[in-house]
Amino acid sequence: AQGISLSALLDKAGITEYTTVSVVADDSYAIDVAAEEVAGSGKVFLVIAENELPELVVFGDSNSKRNVSGVVRLVIV
């Protein structure tokens, strides 16, 4: 599996101003991640395994429901 931090992904896309990122799965499950969390070093990643949809992983978060499998869309607010 390979991964990229969500902040690096947004930087590469030229997105610098936002307050939240809504992460939506293929089953319509969604969670919001605050800009402060995204900016936190080494905390929020998209992990991609071969032939799989990406998975959002929030390291150090005690709420495992914030790890989202089958990510199909990011909504930047």
Side-chain angles (χ1 to χ4, degrees):
Q2 295 183 356
I4 184 170
S5 71
L6 189 53
S7 63
L9 179 67
L10 295 176
D11 285 346
K12 286 182 187 271
I15 300 168
T16 57
E17 294 188 25
Y18 57 94
T19 55
T20 59
V21 178
S22 292
V23 181
V24 183
D26 56 352
D27 63 0
S28 297
Y29 180 75
I31 61 108
D32 291 338
V33 182
E36 295 78 25
E37 292 178 287
V38 173
S41 179
K43 182 163 180 159
V44 183
F45 284 84
L46 282 174
V47 178
I48 304 162
E50 191 172 331
N51 300 319
E52 299 280 330
L53 290 171
E55 176 181 355
L56 180 85
V57 177
V58 181
F59 289 102
D61 193 328
S62 60
N63 184 355
S64 64
K65 292 180 179 171
R66 296 190 67 211
N67 291 346
V68 180
S69 297
V71 174
V72 293
R73 185 171 58 245
L74 300 175
V75 180
I76 313 302
V77 181

